[in-house]
């Protein structure tokens, strides 16, 4: 998509939730000269002021102000708030939308949304808020669109073109498939990492344990430092998928426990080798050499 | 420890296993001008030749050659082979050791060793072999020494001084405590990461799953790309501890499953918050900002 593609340009963009994701989306489009005007809507005045100061947005209004008037003349509305706030916000936005306005979101679970062009950039950072936003956050990352049967094709094309302008690779699938895949590759590992750190933290020897944590521990547990509120919402929203994934994972842990109990070196090596080969085959994940502590 | 500390200097160093760890130990001492002569012993001629070419070692012999003669006049012997090979090697080395030679190792589990100054640098990398060795591998990393009651105090002091010369922070504890702690913070997360990748890899939709893997997935699974043979040996050597850790972890997973099943948002938030606070409190692990995909 070049800058000449009219699908990849926006006149007025309204970003509801000017945090890491919404702010980075605006910055990425600005860096490609693909947006004329950005209006930020959010809960926190301080965060909006920071976004104004960084020129992420041109104007801003909090949810306590009559912000809905900013929907007037909007070409694209991006809702990038926590998942739990989206249904209420969308209900509040829907009646005020103009006929040609395209609306999309950036949430982690898709089936909670009744309409529009649901989108999910597979990108993020532990830091949050507009202060953490960067124009390059989505570069070479996946963005998944999950259009509904009633979603207009033109709107899907337009939202896809905007994400491509941000540098993302765009794929489409249905919402159920999205939630199943993300449940497996993102929501489950978050449960596993939180559970691991939580189990150590409640032990009386936790301090001694953490003192010997190395780089393997650091990377394995990094996602356990993410926002508990955000992950509570995501986990509950995708609860059925997650419980199923968790059951499959616990079966695999049982196989490891059995191999250890039986001192079955051959089975253990087979299990480890299968996993290591699969992990090493993921070339796209190998760009950053990691370290490992045995 | 300064270079003037005689404890931190070596005349003749014999490194058995010139891989990432053994090679980096030699390079680190060389970079501090703390060793006169390094002899490398190993299985693979090609790896030894690479070590010679990089000046990691001055001389080298394979295990098929009469390598034991190189123990003559050695001040320090470091055994940095895979854990499973150590008992045999130590049995072969012990009768040839001179009275003043200090012998130490760099293995991940400690209770398999009958004597000497058992040591474990908590550092590593996915790459292996002398080609991956660097002088800075141990800088600001922990090295744990686990002296036995019969280990001489002077030998412990000397080995500790050498690791400090490599830039490591040295701590001492008994072997059982070492294995318990490492079982919790290193061996268990390896089982968890291998089990996670392995469970996905055997699914028919594995390709679609891996295609949407982001940076959270990448970091969480990085350790699952480590050497299966090495980890089979470590896991079996520390089997009792690991089975106990695994049982505690599975209890914690049950708590998460229950919270999800009951849609108990308050309990879920409590569990997640406890873990996130513990993880964020680990300031020493925070030096590298990570990214996270919801």
């Amino acid at each position: 998509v070049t800058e000449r593609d009219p699908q990849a340009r926006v006149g007025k963009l309204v970003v509801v939730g000017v945090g890491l994701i919404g702010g980075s989306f605006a910055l990425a489009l600005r860096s490609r000269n693909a947006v004329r005007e950005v209006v930020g809507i959010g809960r926190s005045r301080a965060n909006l002021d920071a976004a104004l100061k960084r020129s992420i947005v041109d104007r801003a209004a909090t949810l306590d102000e009559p912000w809905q008037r900013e929907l007037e003349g909007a070409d694209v509305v991006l809702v990038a708030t926590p998942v739990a706030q989206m249904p209420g916000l969308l209900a509040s936005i829907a009646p005020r939308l103009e006929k040609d306005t395209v609306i999309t979101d950036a949430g982690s679970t898709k089936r909670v949304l009744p309409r529009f062009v649901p989108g999910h950039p597979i990108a993020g950072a532990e830091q949050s808020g507009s202060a953490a936003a960067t124009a390059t956050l989505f570069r070479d990352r996946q963005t998944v669109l999950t259009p509904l049967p009633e979603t207009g094709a033109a709107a899907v094309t337009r939202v896809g073109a905007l994400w491509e302008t941000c540098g993302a690779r765009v794929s489409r699938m249905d919402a159920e498939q999205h939630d199943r895949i993300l449940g497996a590759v993102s929501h489950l590992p978050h449960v596993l990492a939180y559970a691991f750190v939580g189990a150590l933290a409640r032990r009386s020897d936790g301090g001694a344990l953490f003192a010997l944590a190395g780089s393997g521990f650091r990377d394995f547990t990094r996602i356990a430092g993410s926002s508990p509120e955000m992950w509570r919402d995501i986990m509950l929203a995708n609860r059925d998928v997650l419980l199923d994934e968790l059951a499959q994972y616990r079966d695999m842990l049982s196989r490891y426990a059995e191999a250890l109990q039986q001192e079955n070196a051959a089975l253990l090596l087979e299990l480890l080798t299968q996993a290591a080969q699969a992990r090493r085959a993921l070339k796209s994940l190998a760009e950053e050499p990691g370290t490992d502590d045995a």
Side-chain angles (χ1 to χ4, degrees), chain A:
Chain A
V1 174
T2 71
E3 288 175 21
R4 286 178 300 277
D5 179 355
Q7 297 288 352
R9 293 189 60 82
V10 190
K12 180 176 181 177
L13 169 69
V14 177
V15 177
V16 186
V18 192
L20 173 75
I21 300 292
S24 294
F25 184 78
L27 280 177
L29 293 181
R30 278 199 191 286
S31 77
R32 296 295 303 272
N33 226 357
V35 62
R36 193 189 70 230
E37 179 184 22
V38 181
V39 181
I41 312 291
R43 276 186 303 186
S44 149
R45 186 76 243 174
N47 182 60
L48 290 173
D49 287 343
L52 281 164
K53 201 169 167 190
R54 292 189 61 203
S55 298
I56 296 172
V57 300
D58 301 300
R59 283 199 310 286
T62 70
L63 293 172
D64 300 327
E65 300 173 71
W67 60 273
Q68 287 95 338
R69 68 172 58 150
E70 284 292 359
L71 298 171
E72 199 176 305
D75 294 290
V76 174
V77 177
L78 173 72
V79 184
T81 63
V83 166
Q85 296 172 34
M86 283 193 186
L89 277 169
L90 291 175
S92 160
I93 290 170
R96 307 289 294 265
L97 278 184
E98 293 183 7
K99 188 170 67 56
D100 293 334
T101 305
V102 169
I103 179 161
T104 184
D105 78 315
S108 284
T109 63
K110 289 287 135 234
R111 285 174 300 168
V112 295
L113 292 169
R115 41 186 295 227
F116 312 124
V117 184
H120 179 205
I122 316 286
E126 284 155 337
Q127 301 89 339
S128 57
S130 67
T134 63
T136 56
L137 187 67
F138 309 112
R139 193 173 286 170
D140 296 325
R141 310 299 296 273
Q142 291 278 343
T143 289
V144 182
L145 301 182
T146 58
L148 297 160
E150 61 269 34
T151 309
V156 179
T157 301
R158 178 151 208 200
V159 170
L162 290 175
W163 282 110
E164 285 175 357
T165 300
C166 293
R169 292 189 296 269
V170 175
S171 55
R172 298 184 191 185
M173 59 186 68
D174 66 41
E176 193 185 330
Q177 191 186 5
H178 167 277
D179 283 9
R180 193 173 50 70
I181 294 179
L182 270 289
V185 300
S186 173
H187 309 171
L188 176 63
H190 276 79
V191 170
L192 303 181
Y194 277 112
F196 174 68
V197 176
L200 294 188
R202 62 173 54 202
R203 281 158 65 158
S204 57
D205 58 352
L209 300 179
F210 290 134
L212 285 192
S215 59
F217 178 99
R218 179 194 65 212
D219 290 354
F220 181 78
T221 61
R222 188 180 54 72
I223 52 178
S226 308
S227 159
E229 294 78 12
M230 183 176 99
W231 280 97
R232 172 200 59 197
D233 293 345
I234 293 171
M235 289 171 186
L236 288 174
N238 203 23
R239 175 177 160 267
D240 295 343
V241 167
L242 194 46
L243 281 168
D244 183 48
E245 291 294 333
L246 205 41
Q248 291 186 54
Y249 181 72
R250 292 164 87 182
D251 286 347
M252 180 56 92
L253 276 193
S254 299
R255 294 173 60 96
Y256 274 84
E258 273 173 43
L260 285 167
Q261 251 143 11
Q262 300 162 359
E263 297 191 74
N264 188 336
L267 173 57
L268 190 55
L269 183 62
E270 185 190 318
L271 291 170
L272 297 170
T273 302
Q274 187 174 49
Q277 283 173 348
R279 181 60 180 79
R280 292 172 183 179
L282 298 177
K283 294 265 185 283
S284 63
L285 298 179
E287 69 273 20
E288 291 164 51
T291 56
D292 163 34
D293 16 80

